[in-house]
Amino acid sequence: MAELVLSAFLGVLFEKLASAALKNIVRYKGIDGEIKKWKRSLKQIQGVLVDASRKEITNESVKQWLNDLQHLAYDIDDVLDDLATEAMHREFNGESEAITSKVRKLIPSCCTNFSQSSSMHGKLDSISTKLQELLEEKADLGLSVEGETRSKNKNRELQTSVVDASSIIGRQVEEEALVRQLLADEPCDQNFSIVPIVGMGGVGKTTLATLLYNNQQVTDHFELKAWVCVSDEFDSFRISKVIFESVAQENKKFEDFNLLQVALRDQLRGKRFLLVLDGVWSESYEDWKTLVGPFHACAPGSKVVITTRKEQLLNKLGYNHVNKLECLSHDDAMSLFALNALGVNKFNSHLSLKPHGEGIVKKCDGLPLALISLGRSLRTKQDEDSWREVLESDIWMSKDDVIVPALRLSYGDLSARLKQLFAYCSLFPKDFMFDKEELVLLWASEGLLHQSTPIDSTKERLGHDCFDELLSRSFFQLAPNNQSLFVMHDLMNDLAASVASEFFVRFENDMKRNIKKEMLKRCRHMSFSREEYVTYKKFETFKIARSLRTLLATFVGVEEIWQNFYLSSKILINLLPELPMLRVLSLSGFCIREVPQTIGSLRHLRYLNLSRTRVTHLPENVCNLYNLETLIVRGCFLLDKLPNNFLKLKNLRHLDVRDTGLLNQMPFGICELKNLQTLSKIVIGGEKGFEIAKLKEFRNLCGKICIVGLEKVQNAIHAREANLSQKRLSELEVVWSDEPNGSRNEMLEKEVLDELKPRNDKLIQLKIISYGGLEFPGWVGNPSFLHLKHVSLRDCKRCTFLPPLGQLPLLKELFIEGLCEVEDVGLELLGTSRAFPSLEILSFKHMHEWKKWSTSRGVVFPSLNVLKICDCPSLVEVTLETLPSVNVLEITKCDSGMLRRLIEIASAVTKLRMESITGLNDVVWRGVMKYLGAVEELKIWMCKEIRYLWESEVVSSVITW
C-alpha cells in the first residue's frame, strides 16, 4: 500500500490543500496556520515513502507506520471534505464573508464553525499530534529521502496491450487428449461421465476448459451445451437455472426446485449434452447427487467437465487417480513469457534480456497466470536494469502461501493510482461480474480518480483508461458467457484482498459478527452480500464504524427478476445516521419502499444507488447532498416523482432513471446541473414543461439517452438546438406517443427526427418508437454509423418503407415491429452496398399489411443466425434466394406458404419453432418435412390442422417436440 499513499492519496490531499475555496474557508475559520503545518509535515513524510515502500516487504514496523499514515490521511481528507462542504453550503445560500452569527447557527452540525467547536478543535489537535509522531517515528525507523530507482513511463496508464489475450501456449497435448475423451463413447453406468480438470490456481484450468468448449469438433458432437461458473457456494438451484436457460434459450421463472429439475430433465431427454462446471469447490456428495438428477435423462455419451483445485468430491465419485494439470514446461513458459513481455514467442532478437527472462520464468514455476501478468508488466521495459530489478526483488522471498510472488511483482509494477483502484476491487466477492461503467463510477465517487485533468478530459474517461490498463495486464478478464462484463481470477481476488489489508472489509456470510470492534473502528470501505433477508442484528455493531466511507451491497451471479431481497428498515433508520462519512451507498436490488429523511444528513455522499428498489419517491432533503455525483434509480418501477430542488445538486454528473415507467416529468431546475454527463431518460413537456432545446445546456451529455414525448415538440429548430450531433452518445432511444392523434404532423415529425441525428462515430444502439412520419430521414441507415450494432424500429405506424439498414457494416441485431403500413420489403432495406454483412438476429413482428419480401441479389444475410417472424398474416410472397447460416427459425401467426418457402431456403436450421400457422394441414406439413433434415429441435403450438407429425421412425428419431 506504500505507493498507494505515496502519490495517490497524498496527491489528492495536496490538490485539496492548494484549492482557492479551501484557503478561503480556513482563513474564515481562523485555522489556516494549522492547515499549513499539516501541509509541511505531509511534504516531509512524502519524501521518505519511496524508501518505506521498499522496506515494508521485510519490516513489519515500517508496514505498520504506513498503515497509520494511511488512516491519518483518511482523517485529514474527512476534515478537508467537511470544510469544502461548508464552503458549498455558504455559496449555495448566498452567504458572504460577513456572515452573521445568527446564520452560522443554521449550518448543520457536521459543518459548524471549527473555531467555536471544542470537539473539532480536539480533532484538529489530534491530527496535528499524530502527524508529529509519524515524523519522529520515521527517523527511528531509519527512513530516508530517496529518488525513484527506475524511470517511469508517463504514458503507462494510457497504454493498451497489443497481445491477443486469447493467445495460449503449451496446452495442445492436453487439449487433444481431452477432446478425444469428450468424443469417446466409453461405457458407464449412467448416461453421462465426468471429465475432470484439476490443478492449482492460475495453472490454466478455465483457459483449457474454454478451448474445449469452443473446439469445433466438440461443438459438432454435442447437441446441447452449457457453461456455469460455480463459485465458492455450490447452489444447486442457481446452477440448474443457468443450465436450463442455456439449453432452452429462454428465461423462465421457477419458484420450486422440483419443477425446475423436471423442466431441465425434459430439455435434456435424449440429447447428447456437454456441461462445463467451472470452479467447483464443494466436497458434498449429497449436493452433487441433487444437481445431476436430471442429467440421467440425457443421451449416452454426455459429458460433464469439472474444473477444480480440490479432489475430495471427485474421490467420492470414484475418481481416485485424477491426472492434475501441470504447470508449463520451461520452453513453453519461456515462450508464453516472451509473447507477453516482448510480443514474440522467442528471445532471438533480445538476447541480452534472455538470461534475466530465464531467471524470472524459473521463479514463476511455469504458472501461466503469473507468466502472463508479470510479462505484461515488463511490456514497455526493454532495458536490462528493469528486468534485473524484477529478478532480484525481495518479493520472491515472501512466505505467503496464498499469493503467488510473481503476481505481487505485477501488482508492484502498477502506478500508485492503479494499485489503489485494484485494491478497491477487494470489496467484490469471487466470481463477481464487473460492469466497467459502474465500477468507474464507484472509483470516481470514492475520489480515486481525482486529478487535474486536461480541459478535454474527464475523470470518467481516466477511469476507463485505467480499467483498460488493468485488463491488458490480466488483472481483469472477459466473462466467459458475457462479452460486456468482466471477472477477476480467484488469485487476483486474493491478491486484491491481501494488498487492501484493514482498510477494506468484505462482510461475507461466513464472517457474521466475528469482525473485531477495533477493525470496525478503523475500517473505511465495506461490502456485504445481498441475501433474501438482511436483519438489523447482523449490522448492529456497525454503529461504531463512524469512519466508514463505503457501504456496498454486492451479488454473485445473474440476478433474476423474480428474486426478492429484504433489508430491515432499522438499518436505514438507525444505522445510516451513525455513518456520517459515507461517500458511497449502494442498496441496489432490495425491496425498499421508503428512503428515510435521515439520508439528507450524509453530507459527504457522492454515490447513491437505489436501483431496482420499490421506492415511490425520494425525500426532498436528498437535495441537501451537495457532493452527490451519481444518483441511480434505474428499474424503480414505482418511482413517479423526483425531488423539486434538484438545482441544488450542482455536482451531480450521473442521473440514471432508465426503466421508470411512472416517472413522466423532469425535476424542476435540472437545467442548472451543468456537470451532468448521464441523463438516461428525458421527458419532454410534463407539468414542469421541459423543452427539448434545453438539452443544449448539457454540454457534457454522453452515454445512453432516451427522449420521451417528442410529439410535444412544436418546431424542428428546437430539436436542432438540442445539438445531439455533438454529444458522445452510445445509445439513443427516441419515443413519440403511441396514442392515435389526428393532429400529428408527419412532416414535422420527420424534420424533428432528422434534427436529432446523433454523432456517427460513437453510436452503438438506436431505437425509434412510435415515430409518426411517412418515411425515415436519410441518416437512419447511413453507412457512416460505423459502430452501430443494434437497431429497433417499433410502432412507426405511418411509415410505408423501411430505411436502408443493410448498409450498416457492423449491425448485428435488427428488430422491426408494428410498422403497419409497410407492404413490401425489398431493395430499399438493403441499400446500395453489400447488404447486412454482420447481421446475426433479425426479427419482424406485427406487420399486418406486409405482403412481399424480395430481393434480386444472392446471399444478403451471410451471417444471419436467428430469424423470427411473428404476426405477419399477409406475408405470402417470399423470393429470397438463400439463408445459408440461419440456425434458429421462429414463425408465429403467419401463413403456411411463407413458412414452407423459408424452410426451403434455410437449409441449416437446427431449431424450428412454430405457432398458430394458418393453412398448415397434413399435406402442407408433408412438404415442409422434406427440408427438415438438419432440424434437431422442433416446437409446435396451436397448429390444429396437423394430425400427424411424422410418417416413419427414421424421421421421428431426429425430431423432438
Side-chain angles (χ1 to χ4, degrees):
M1 294 287 283
E3 281 190 77
L4 184 155
V5 179
L6 168 63
S7 57
F9 211 106
L10 291 189
V12 171
L13 293 186
F14 287 132
E15 279 194 37
K16 290 184 177 181
L17 288 167
S19 72
L22 182 76
K23 289 178 180 178
N24 290 335
I25 192 72
V26 298
R27 277 198 299 268
Y28 168 72
K29 294 290 184 182
I31 58 173
D32 48 334
E34 197 81 8
I35 298 300
K36 287 178 180 178
K37 289 180 183 178
W38 289 2
K39 188 174 182 179
R40 286 194 298 270
S41 298
L42 289 173
K43 283 288 186 183
Q44 294 178 55
I45 288 175
Q46 186 185 39
V48 305
L49 286 176
V50 173
D51 187 31
S53 68
R54 179 172 53 82
K55 292 179 177 176
E56 73 163 322
I57 299 170
T58 55
N59 190 323
E60 192 64 31
S61 296
V62 174
K63 184 176 181 179
Q64 185 58 52
W65 182 84
L66 287 168
N67 274 359
D68 290 343
L69 175 60
Q70 176 69 71
H71 281 296
L72 186 64
Y74 275 125
D75 289 339
I76 293 174
D77 188 55
D78 287 340
V79 170
L80 298 184
D81 210 42
D82 271 332
L83 290 166
T85 302
E86 180 174 353
M88 280 189 286
H89 177 88
R90 295 175 60 214
E91 177 187 350
F92 296 163
N93 289 275
E95 296 177 3
S96 65
E97 288 296 323
I99 185 171
T100 64
S101 59
K102 179 180 179 181
V103 177
R104 285 193 193 108
K105 294 178 182 179
L106 298 177
I107 299 175
S109 59
C110 71
C111 301
T112 50
N113 193 321
F114 284 5
S115 62
Q116 297 180 6
S117 169
S118 58
S119 63
M120 280 300 184
H121 263 308
K123 190 168 186 178
L124 290 172
D125 291 342
S126 175
I127 290 174
S128 298
T129 301
K130 188 62 180 177
L131 264 175
Q132 188 59 37
E133 290 174 356
L134 288 172
L135 281 170
E136 295 171 358
E137 192 177 352
K138 78 175 177 66
D140 296 338
L141 293 171
L143 299 177
S144 57
V145 177
E146 290 187 10
E148 285 284 0
T149 58
R150 64 180 185 271
S151 62
K152 292 283 186 179
N153 182 344
K154 294 182 179 179
N155 293 320
R156 287 295 303 278
E157 292 186 3
L158 302 179
Q159 76 177 48
T160 58
S161 173
V162 297
V163 178
D164 182 1
S166 64
S167 297
I168 300 167
I169 291 177
R171 293 304 186 199
Q172 292 82 359
V173 174
E174 291 89 344
E175 181 187 4
E176 291 171 3
L178 288 169
V179 167
R180 287 195 296 271
Q181 191 174 349
L182 289 176
L183 300 183
D185 291 327
E186 75 277 7
C188 61
D189 58 357
Q190 50 194 6
N191 289 337
F192 67 93
S193 57
I194 296 172
V195 179
I197 302 178
V198 182
M200 65 180 293
V203 78
K205 300 182 297 296
T206 300
T207 298
L208 183 55
T210 303
L211 282 174
L212 298 175
Y213 195 74
N214 295 309
N215 181 282
Q216 192 58 51
Q217 284 181 277
V218 172
T219 299
D220 294 340
H221 182 74
F222 292 96
E223 299 172 83
L224 298 174
K225 294 198 307 180
W227 178 296
V228 184
C229 180
V230 177
S231 76
D232 292 356
E233 182 181 359
F234 196 92
D235 185 340
S236 298
F237 189 97
R238 181 186 70 83
I239 297 170
S240 300
K241 184 70 162 54
V242 174
I243 297 171
F244 176 83
E245 291 176 353
S246 297
V247 299
Q249 293 191 343
E250 63 175 299
N251 187 353
K252 188 175 181 180
K253 181 178 180 179
F254 291 100
E255 295 185 4
D256 181 84
F257 183 54
N258 178 63
L259 293 177
L260 169 58
Q261 290 222 313
V262 169
L264 179 56
R265 180 195 63 195
D266 293 343
Q267 288 290 330
L268 299 180
R269 191 183 303 280
K271 300 290 182 64
R272 191 184 292 123
F273 171 52
L274 172 65
L275 171 64
V276 175
L277 295 176
D278 185 37
V280 175
W281 288 78
S282 173
E283 301 174 14
S284 170
Y285 179 76
E286 290 70 25
D287 287 347
W288 174 261
K289 297 298 289 184
T290 300
L291 174 70
V292 302
F295 300 176
H296 297 283
C298 60
S302 296
K303 300 291 167 62
V304 179
V305 177
I306 293 178
T307 73
T308 182
R309 300 187 200 178
K310 306 171 74 172
E311 298 180 59
Q312 287 85 341
L313 177 60
L314 292 169
N315 292 339
K316 293 176 183 178
L317 296 175
Y319 293 81
N320 296 316
H321 302 287
V322 176
N323 292 323
K324 291 188 177 180
L325 186 62
E326 300 294 337
C327 293
L328 296 178
S329 68
H330 179 73
D331 289 344
D332 286 336
M334 284 289 287
S335 295
L336 183 61
F337 181 71
L339 185 63
N340 285 276
L342 304 172
V344 292
N345 59 9
K346 295 184 184 298
F347 279 86
N348 294 352
S349 301
H350 304 81
L351 294 179
S352 64
L353 298 177
K354 187 174 182 179
H356 307 299
E358 287 180 329
I360 294 169
V361 167
K362 185 177 180 180
K363 289 180 180 291
C364 287
D365 292 326
L367 198 64
L369 181 64
L371 291 162
I372 293 170
S373 179
L374 195 51
R376 292 187 181 185
S377 73
L378 290 169
R379 183 73 180 187
T380 60
K381 302 171 184 176
Q382 305 295 310
D383 60 287
E384 291 185 59
D385 289 343
S386 295
W387 287 50
R388 185 185 299 109
E389 184 180 344
V390 170
L391 179 59
E392 297 175 355
S393 171
D394 291 339
I395 288 179
W396 296 111
M397 315 258 304
S398 171
K399 295 182 174 60
D400 194 323
D401 294 330
V402 178
I403 309 302
V404 179
L407 299 185
R408 283 197 178 277
L409 278 170
S410 298
Y411 166 80
D413 185 66
L414 297 176
S415 68
R417 172 177 283 115
L418 289 178
K419 280 186 172 129
Q420 198 176 26
L421 298 178
F422 174 68
Y424 187 82
C425 295
S426 66
L427 290 173
F428 300 92
K430 290 180 179 178
D431 298 316
F432 182 81
M433 307 280 272
F434 288 90
D435 181 292
K436 178 179 176 180
E437 301 282 347
E438 291 182 6
L439 183 59
V440 167
L441 291 183
L442 286 170
W443 284 344
S445 300
E446 299 281 9
L448 306 182
L449 300 174
H450 187 86
Q451 72 161 20
S452 299
T453 54
I455 199 166
D456 60 341
S457 184
T458 64
K459 57 185 178 181
E460 288 82 3
R461 291 180 204 169
L462 173 61
H464 280 250
D465 291 336
C466 290
F467 184 94
D468 291 341
E469 173 75 0
L470 289 170
L471 177 64
S472 75
R473 292 164 172 261
S474 293
F475 287 89
F476 290 105
Q477 301 169 354
L478 280 169
N481 289 330
N482 191 327
Q483 295 300 298
S484 65
L485 298 177
F486 302 86
V487 294
M488 187 175 280
H489 192 281
D490 284 357
L491 285 181
M492 288 298 186
N493 190 282
D494 290 337
L495 176 61
S498 173
V499 300
S501 65
E502 63 192 50
F503 305 104
F504 298 80
V505 171
R506 196 163 68 211
F507 189 61
E508 302 290 10
N509 296 340
D510 58 341
M511 294 178 66
K512 298 299 180 184
R513 290 176 299 278
N514 294 329
I515 299 178
K516 296 179 180 178
K517 287 187 176 181
E518 188 60 33
M519 180 183 291
L520 279 177
K521 286 182 179 179
R522 293 167 66 87
C523 175
R524 305 290 175 159
H525 309 276
M526 181 174 291
S527 67
F528 66 97
S529 295
R530 198 159 62 235
E531 304 171 73
E532 185 174 3
Y533 295 99
V534 178
T535 63
Y536 178 68
K537 190 174 182 180
K538 176 177 179 178
F539 286 88
E540 194 169 14
T541 57
F542 282 33
K543 284 188 175 183
I544 64 175
R546 294 186 60 82
S547 296
L548 202 64
R549 292 172 163 232
T550 308
L551 188 59
L552 189 66
T554 64
F555 185 79
V556 175
V558 179
E559 299 182 46
E560 305 290 354
I561 297 175
W562 50 268
Q563 286 178 298
N564 290 324
F565 301 94
Y566 298 92
L567 183 75
S568 169
S569 59
K570 289 185 68 176
I571 294 176
L572 297 175
I573 297 170
N574 294 1
L575 176 61
L576 290 185
E578 302 295 329
L579 306 176
M581 297 301 171
L582 279 181
R583 267 74 168 172
V584 166
L585 176 61
S586 176
L587 301 174
S588 172
F590 282 109
C591 297
I592 299 169
R593 296 187 177 276
E594 187 172 359
V595 179
Q597 291 286 336
T598 51
I599 195 79
S601 66
L602 303 178
R603 301 176 65 82
H604 294 272
L605 204 63
R606 265 78 170 172
Y607 177 101
L608 178 59
N609 188 343
L610 298 170
S611 62
R612 301 188 307 282
T613 60
R614 298 180 182 178
V615 297
T616 58
H617 67 283
L618 299 179
E620 283 295 328
N621 65 2
V622 163
C623 298
N624 292 336
L625 304 176
Y626 301 137
N627 289 302
L628 195 65
E629 296 179 354
T630 297
L631 176 60
I632 303 176
V633 288
R634 180 177 71 246
C636 295
F637 60 93
L638 296 178
L639 182 70
D640 60 6
K641 183 183 179 183
L642 291 173
N644 290 319
N645 292 320
F646 245 63
L647 61 100
K648 295 169 67 177
L649 299 177
K650 302 290 187 182
N651 288 310
L652 195 66
R653 301 167 73 90
H654 306 279
L655 176 60
D656 191 347
V657 289
R658 283 175 287 171
D659 304 321
T660 51
L662 298 182
L663 191 64
N664 56 16
Q665 62 182 5
M666 305 304 292
F668 178 74
I670 195 169
C671 294
E672 301 298 319
L673 309 184
K674 308 300 184 183
N675 291 319
L676 268 181
Q677 295 180 32
T678 301
L679 184 56
S680 55
K681 178 179 175 180
I682 300 161
V683 182
I684 307 301
E687 291 181 13
K688 305 294 189 299
F690 187 87
E691 299 174 0
I692 193 170
K694 293 180 180 179
L695 287 178
K696 66 184 177 184
E697 305 293 338
F698 305 118
R699 301 183 184 279
N700 300 316
L701 214 57
C702 59
K704 305 167 185 177
I705 288 182
C706 173
I707 306 176
V708 179
L710 284 167
E711 72 281 355
K712 299 183 179 71
V713 177
Q714 299 298 313
N715 193 316
I717 294 177
H718 299 157
R720 182 190 307 168
E721 292 174 354
N723 207 17
L724 291 193
S725 62
Q726 300 301 312
K727 304 186 190 302
R728 300 165 58 90
L729 302 184
S730 59
E731 298 182 16
L732 174 62
E733 180 175 350
V734 288
V735 184
W736 283 257
S737 170
D738 61 354
E739 298 179 3
N741 187 339
S743 64
R744 287 180 60 171
N745 186 325
E746 297 97 337
M747 183 59 68
L748 174 60
E749 294 196 18
K750 181 185 177 184
E751 291 173 353
V752 168
L753 182 57
D754 196 17
E755 296 294 352
L756 292 177
K757 176 184 177 180
R759 184 168 161 175
N760 60 10
D761 63 335
K762 299 294 179 184
L763 198 68
I764 296 174
Q765 179 170 296
L766 173 66
K767 295 183 179 181
I768 302 175
I769 300 174
S770 299
Y771 164 63
L774 299 179
E775 60 182 357
F776 293 91
W779 67 264
V780 180
N782 191 295
S784 65
F785 285 84
L786 296 174
H787 303 289
L788 193 55
K789 295 180 180 180
H790 175 110
V791 172
S792 179
L793 308 177
R794 194 174 82 214
D795 294 331
C796 304
K797 297 178 180 179
R798 300 189 182 188
C799 289
T800 55
F801 295 99
L802 297 177
L805 300 171
Q807 301 178 133
L808 298 171
L810 292 184
L811 185 65
K812 291 183 178 297
E813 299 178 342
L814 175 57
F815 299 89
I816 300 175
E817 178 180 344
L819 273 69
C820 302
E821 297 296 320
V822 172
E823 298 183 6
D824 190 352
V825 174
L827 293 177
E828 80 290 342
L829 177 63
L830 306 182
T832 57
S833 57
R834 182 178 178 230
F836 296 108
S838 305
L839 193 67
E840 297 175 0
I841 299 175
L842 175 61
S843 175
F844 293 98
K845 287 186 178 181
H846 311 310
M847 306 273 286
H848 294 164
E849 299 300 320
W850 184 22
K851 299 178 177 63
K852 181 179 179 182
W853 187 12
S854 63
T855 172
S856 59
R857 303 181 192 174
V859 179
V860 293
F861 299 105
S863 303
L864 192 63
N865 181 254
V866 177
L867 174 60
K868 299 181 181 182
I869 302 180
C870 174
D871 193 20
C872 302
S874 303
L875 180 59
V876 293
E877 184 177 349
V878 178
T879 57
L880 304 180
E881 291 191 20
T882 180
L883 296 171
S885 60
V886 173
N887 289 319
V888 178
L889 180 61
E890 295 186 13
I891 309 294
T892 304
K893 296 182 181 179
C894 293
D895 183 79
S896 61
M898 185 268 290
L899 167 67
R900 178 168 179 172
R901 177 56 182 151
L902 287 178
I903 287 294
E904 290 175 359
I905 62 176
S907 58
V909 169
T910 58
K911 295 183 179 180
L912 175 61
R913 302 174 185 179
M914 306 181 301
E915 179 179 355
S916 302
I917 306 298
T918 58
L920 186 59
N921 54 35
D922 290 332
V923 175
V924 177
W925 176 244
R926 193 176 296 117
V928 170
M929 286 286 291
K930 294 188 299 183
Y931 300 96
L932 299 185
V935 171
E936 300 172 358
E937 180 181 298
L938 173 64
K939 293 187 177 181
I940 303 178
W941 294 272
M942 302 299 292
C943 295
K944 299 180 180 179
E945 298 179 59
I946 301 179
R947 293 177 299 167
Y948 307 102
L949 281 178
W950 49 75
E951 298 177 347
S952 69
E953 293 184 3
V954 175
V955 176
S956 68
S957 67
V958 297
I959 297 179
T960 59
W961 60 286

